Amino acid sequence: MVYYMYDLFMNQLKLGYAAALGLLLAVAIGLLSYVNYRFFREGGFESYT
Amino acid sequence: MGQASKVARLSWLSAYGFLLPALLLLLVFTVFPLILGSVLSLFQYNVVSPPQFVGLNNFKEIMTDPVAHIAFRNSLVYLLVVPVLQLFSILLALVVNQETKGMHFFRMLFYVPVITSIIVVALAWKWLLAEQGLFNGILMSLHWIHEPIHWLTDPSIALYSVMLVTFWKGLGYYMVIYLAGLQVIDPQYEEAAKLDGANWLHVFRHITLPLLKPSIAFCTLISCIAAVKVFAEIYVMTEGGGHFCRPRPWFITCTICS
């Protein structure tokens, strides 16, 4: 995915399209981090131990 | 102003004073590019002509772009490296957690790939996995294969070859985190379990693994993020594979201008 973004940006000069892909990736990573944060804040595995 | 509020104010100021450099760096290198990228995603822009506002067209295009779908699928496939990496890191951490003579040397040895530059690692593996490289040489000398395997040029196995490098480089890093997790586990739990007749597997399944769960969750998360945004290995070893064999206008432009 990141290599495709790089190719779009540097070789195909589709800067806007590459930015859109990057934004989607950032949102996906943000969601993943948020789920992890909420899970740990609410006890998560600590409550197990 | 009372003494207590003066102390609180000083404490507040010193806390934000220490946070300020990191916050500034975060603002300049993360928040600002994210905002700029978000704005740019609404435009069609190719450096040469002025940007043209296209709204959400770029996002619509992603939905119908077959190469984006392949890239997305490959990113998902790349996530397969995460469970394998975590499993082997835990096993390795269990091994190096033993109080045996010379174990510190092995801990250091397994950490060497982590501190080695990814470009150096990728180049070394590129040579190892080349058609005339060490891997094919060994396999052919053992007569296990008769023709060299195209580790990095065959689209069906190139991704897995690159995953192998990510696995090799990440092993030591996650091993250290799991080792830290293992060393905070109170040995009394294990001793009590052994007194009750538990074997090595029982201790691992019912004591070590549950107590390692916070470390496993953390490592899985950062490993997933790293796997999704992998770039250097792919760039150095395969240059994106067959999909990206096209002229490079940016490079050509730079060459002409220089």
Side-chain angles (χ1 to χ4, degrees), chain B residues 68-83:
Chain B
H69 294 170
I70 293 169
F72 183 70
R73 193 195 63 201
N74 284 344
S75 290
L76 288 181
V77 173
Y78 213 90
L79 284 172
L80 286 175
V81 81
V82 175

Side-chain angles (χ1 to χ4, degrees), chain A residues 1-37 39-40 45-46 48-49, chain B residues 34 37-38 40-41 43 45-48 58-59 61-62 65 67-68 71-72 75 210-211 213-214 217-218 221 224-225 228-231 234-235 239-240 244 246-250:
Chain A
M1 182 79 105
V2 180
Y3 188 87
Y4 184 44
M5 274 182 240
Y6 165 82
D7 183 66
L8 285 165
F9 197 100
M10 300 297 282
N11 303 329
Q12 299 185 46
L13 297 179
K14 286 176 152 184
L15 274 63
Y17 188 56
L21 261 177
L23 194 65
L24 285 182
L25 187 68
V27 168
I29 290 172
L31 274 175
L32 203 67
S33 308
Y34 180 71
V35 168
N36 181 64
Y37 168 73
F39 183 73
F40 273 97
F45 288 133
E46 293 303 320
Y48 185 92
T49 56
Chain B
L34 196 65
S38 307
L40 190 62
S41 69
F43 286 84
Y45 183 45
N46 62 1
V47 184
V48 184
N58 284 327
F59 295 94
E61 202 183 324
I62 291 170
D65 179 4
V67 184
F72 183 70
S75 290
L211 290 171
K213 275 186 178 178
F218 171 73
L221 178 79
C224 281
I225 293 172
V228 166
K229 62 188 187 76
V230 66
F231 172 74
I234 296 168
Y235 180 72
E239 290 193 35
F244 300 97
R246 59 171 72 91
R248 298 177 175 187
W250 189 85

